[in-house]
Amino acid sequence: MERKTAASQLKTHGFFALAALMLWSCIAIAGPGRPAADGARLYVHYCAACHGERGRGGIGLPLSLPSFLAGVDDGYLRQTIRLGRPGRIMPAFPQLHGNQIDALVRYIRHWSGNRPVMLAAAGKPGNAVRGATLFSARCAICHGANGVGGEGTGVTLSRPRSQPIMAPALDNPGFLASASDRVIRTALVRGRTGTPMRSALKQGLSERDIDDLVAYVRSLQYQPPPRAAAPRDEGPDIVGVSPDGVTATVARLKEAVEAANMRLIRVQYLDQGFVPAGKENRKQVIVYSCDFGFLNTALQVDPRVGLFLPCRVTVLQHHGKVLVMSVNPKRLGTLFNDAALSRLCDQMYRKYRDIIEEATF
Amino acid sequence: MRRYRSLLGVLLLAAFSVATARAGALLMARVDLPFPEAMAQLQDSIVSHGYTISRIQRVDAGLRANGYTTAAYQIVFFAKPAEMRTLPSLDPQIAAYLPLQIVIFAERGHTLLLAANPGRIASFFPQHALQAHFVTWAHDMRAIFREVRHAGQ
C-alpha cells in the first residue's frame, strides 16, 4: 500500500514537473516580455532576419536608407510594425506592446543619427480621377497597375533581380493605414535617393499633379485588400489511398512524378539515416522530386520557399491501408503572408494532387 | 487530484495556444557568418540537442546543374530516431512533415536560417498525444537558432 502511494506521489510529482516544463516552454515561445523594451534586442529578434542586422535590407526593404528615414514619420513606422503589409511578406506584430514598438522605432531612427523628419508641406485636395491617369503614365511601370506593387522580395545579391528594391504596394491596407498624405507627398516631391523612385518635380510634374497623385493613392484604400493566404480549413496533407501494396504504389508514384515533368531525385525509406542500414521500415517510403524551372521562379518570388523543398510524396502503410500523401501547400502557405507565394502554392497543390491521384487511381 | 490535473491540462493547452499564436509563424534568424561556418554551427547545434541529421539537400547544386544561378541554398533534415519510429503510428499524416527541416541560405556575407514554427504546425494536428512533441520541437528550434546566431556575434 505504502509502495503504491509512493509510486502515485512520484507519478504526480513527475506530472507537475512535466507540466511546469511545458508551461515554461510556452512562456519562452511567447518571446520577449513586456518590460524589456530594448530596441536593439527587439530588432535582432523580430526584424534583422529580413531587414539585415544594420538595416541594409535583404528579404525586406533597406530601413537604414537615409532617404527613407528622412521621408517617413514615426507614426508611419509604428503603424507599419503594428499592421504589417497583409499579403506582402511583412507580417503584423500585434504581440508587441506600445513601448516595444516605440523602442524599435527609436532603434531604427538611430541609423539616421536621429535627425528630425522634415516632411513636405501639406498639399491641397487633389483630383483622384486625374491622378489615376498620371499614375498609369508615370508610376504604374514600377508600382504596377492600380498600385499593386512590384513582384518578388527586396534587396539581395543572392539571385539576379530586375530592380534593387521591390516597389511598394500602394494599394495595401497596411501601407494606406500607415502613410499619411504628407508621407506620400514627401516621397513624390523628393523621391527616394538610392532607389529607382525619382522626384516627381524633377520629372516635370507640378504641385497640382502631385496633389492629384496623392488623392489617387489615397483612393486606393477602397479597393478590396489582397488575398493573403488560402483558407485555413485546408487539411495539413493531400492524401490518397492506394489500391496496391507499398512497392507497387511507389512504382506508380515514380511514373506519375515523371509524367508530371518532375525530375525524380531519390527514393528512400522514411526512417533512413535514423536507424541502422537494413533495419528501415520498408512500409514507409519517401519519393523526392523537383521541377527546377518552377523552383527557380518560386525562389525569386520568395526565397523562403525552401520550406516546401524538395517536393516529396510519402507512401505509408497504416492499419492495412496504403496512404500516399504530401504536405498541403495551400495550408503551409498560410504561414508566409505572401499573396504571390500563395498563388504558387495553388499551382503546387494542383501538381501534388494530380500526382497523388495518378498514383492511387 | 484528477480535477486539478484536468484544470492544469486545460491551462497548459491555453498557455500553449496563446504562446504559439503570439509567436511568429516562421522562425528566422540572420547569422553574421559566411555560409560554410554557419552550416557547421547549425549541424553542431542540432546534434547537441539530441537530434540525428539524416540528410542535407543541396538545392543550390540542383539549380546550378540545371543552368540556374543561385547562392548557397540547402536544407538540413533531422529528427529523433524514436520519434521517427513512433509518431507516424499516432497520426500517419504527420509523416509528410517528418523529418524536421531547417532551410539555410546565403545572403551576401550573412547566412539566413528558416523553419516553420512547430508551434504553428501544431495547430494542423489537434491530437493531444502530438502536442508535447511540438512544444519540444519549438523550444529546441528556437534554442538552435539562438545558438547559431550567437556563434556569429
Side-chain angles (χ1 to χ4, degrees):
Chain A
M1 187 67 175
E2 276 181 12
R3 279 182 64 190
K4 192 177 176 185
T5 305
S8 172
Q9 280 183 345
L10 193 63
K11 202 171 167 185
T12 304
H13 290 155
F15 174 80
F16 279 108
L18 178 65
L21 177 66
M22 286 178 71
L23 194 58
W24 179 82
S25 300
C26 294
I27 292 164
I29 288 167
R34 190 172 192 165
D38 173 348
R41 191 176 63 86
L42 289 165
Y43 181 85
V44 167
H45 188 82
Y46 290 108
C47 319
C50 289
H51 292 285
E53 297 278 354
R54 295 169 192 82
R56 290 179 186 160
I59 295 169
L61 298 177
L63 297 174
S64 63
L65 194 70
S67 63
F68 168 75
L69 287 174
V72 296
D73 54 19
D74 287 358
Y76 175 90
L77 295 174
R78 281 195 202 98
Q79 283 290 77
T80 295
I81 295 166
R82 198 169 281 129
L83 303 173
R85 296 285 183 268
R88 296 283 290 183
I89 298 178
M90 169 72 186
F93 291 95
Q95 72 272 38
L96 293 179
H97 299 288
N99 64 331
Q100 292 175 307
I101 292 176
D102 288 344
L104 272 171
V105 169
R106 279 195 301 275
Y107 184 73
I108 290 167
R109 283 274 174 226
H110 97 277
W111 285 313
S112 69
N114 294 309
R115 275 194 288 276
V117 178
M118 301 288 283
L119 298 181
K124 294 177 181 169
N127 179 336
V129 175
R130 188 169 173 275
T133 307
L134 284 167
F135 187 89
S136 295
R138 303 279 188 155
C139 316
I141 191 166
C142 292
H143 289 282
N146 305 316
V148 296
E151 285 202 357
T153 56
V155 177
T156 174
L157 302 179
S158 301
R159 272 164 236 97
R161 300 280 173 182
S162 55
Q163 289 191 332
I165 66 164
M166 173 178 61
L170 304 177
D171 69 340
N172 191 280
F175 171 80
L176 288 165
S178 304
S180 65
D181 285 2
R182 282 185 71 190
V183 165
I184 297 170
R185 199 166 195 281
T186 302
L188 284 160
V189 169
R190 297 189 192 145
R192 288 262 196 272
T193 304
T195 79
M197 176 76 189
R198 293 168 55 213
S199 159
L201 291 175
K202 288 181 181 168
Q203 292 183 63
L205 272 68
S206 66
E207 292 280 347
R208 184 194 161 200
D209 292 336
I210 290 173
D211 290 338
D212 292 345
L213 279 168
V214 171
Y216 171 68
V217 171
R218 185 55 65 201
S219 77
L220 294 172
Q221 67 186 318
Y222 300 111
Q223 303 291 326
R227 189 170 69 99
R232 288 172 188 274
D233 55 2
E234 289 282 344
D237 299 279
I238 305 170
V239 186
V241 180
S242 172
D244 301 317
V246 170
T247 306
T249 303
V250 169
R252 290 186 66 180
L253 179 58
K254 286 159 71 176
E255 287 172 13
V257 162
E258 286 171 352
N261 292 320
M262 306 274 282
R263 178 84 58 86
L264 190 65
I265 298 177
R266 67 189 266 130
V267 179
Q268 68 167 72
Y269 300 112
L270 178 64
D271 57 2
Q272 194 166 319
F274 295 106
V275 297
K279 299 284 186 189
E280 298 94 348
N281 183 342
R282 291 169 185 259
K283 302 293 184 188
Q284 299 177 349
V285 178
I286 309 178
V287 174
Y288 289 98
S289 61
C290 188
D291 175 343
F292 285 99
F294 183 82
L295 167 58
N296 189 57
T297 303
L299 282 170
Q300 293 191 37
V301 169
D302 191 330
R304 302 171 302 168
V305 77
L307 287 180
F308 294 96
L309 298 177
C311 298
R312 52 181 172 159
V313 181
T314 305
V315 178
L316 177 149
Q317 186 168 305
H318 184 71
H319 292 163
K321 285 184 180 171
V322 174
L323 306 176
V324 182
M325 65 185 115
S326 70
V327 297
N328 182 346
K330 283 190 185 180
R331 185 70 188 266
L332 206 49
T334 60
L335 303 180
F336 286 81
N337 185 36
D338 185 349
L341 185 62
S342 289
R343 287 191 286 275
L344 292 174
C345 287
D346 289 349
Q347 286 183 46
M348 272 190 267
Y349 171 86
R350 287 193 293 273
K351 191 161 257 196
Y352 283 170
R353 183 199 58 196
D354 291 349
I355 288 171
I356 290 172
E357 281 181 1
E358 183 70 21
T360 56
F361 179 66
Chain B
M1 177 54 72
R2 187 171 293 167
R3 204 170 56 193
Y4 288 128
R5 282 188 195 181
S6 301
L7 180 62
L8 192 55
V10 169
L11 285 173
L12 277 172
L13 275 176
F16 181 53
S17 302
V18 170
T20 53
R22 292 180 66 184
L26 301 174
L27 303 178
M28 291 182 72
R30 180 176 290 269
V31 184
D32 192 9
L33 285 174
F35 182 85
E37 285 88 334
M39 175 59 115
Q41 287 290 341
L42 175 62
Q43 292 184 48
D44 286 350
S45 184
I46 288 171
V47 171
S48 75
H49 283 269
Y51 294 91
T52 300
I53 295 171
S54 64
R55 175 172 169 71
I56 293 168
Q57 184 73 42
R58 300 180 198 282
V59 178
D60 45 5
L63 281 166
R64 288 192 196 107
N66 283 274
Y68 300 104
T69 304
T70 181
Y73 196 109
Q74 300 182 2
I75 304 166
V76 181
F77 289 99
F78 62 98
K80 290 181 176 165
E83 292 179 333
M84 290 299 292
R85 276 196 303 273
T86 56
L87 295 189
S89 309
L90 289 175
D91 181 348
Q93 285 193 275
I94 202 172
Y97 290 81
L98 295 175
L100 305 172
Q101 64 188 85
I102 292 177
V103 179
I104 173 168
F105 60 99
E107 190 178 77
R108 287 176 272 189
H110 293 163
T111 304
L112 286 166
L113 306 181
L114 169 70
N117 185 348
R120 285 294 182 92
I121 300 290
S123 66
F124 298 3
F125 297 94
Q127 295 88 335
H128 292 294
L130 293 173
Q131 297 305 308
H133 294 277
F134 284 110
V135 173
T136 305
W137 293 336
H139 180 258
D140 288 349
M141 278 211 200
R142 282 187 174 275
I144 289 166
F145 276 43
R146 197 166 47 242
E147 286 164 15
V148 180
R149 200 172 64 213
H150 286 169
Q153 290 174 343

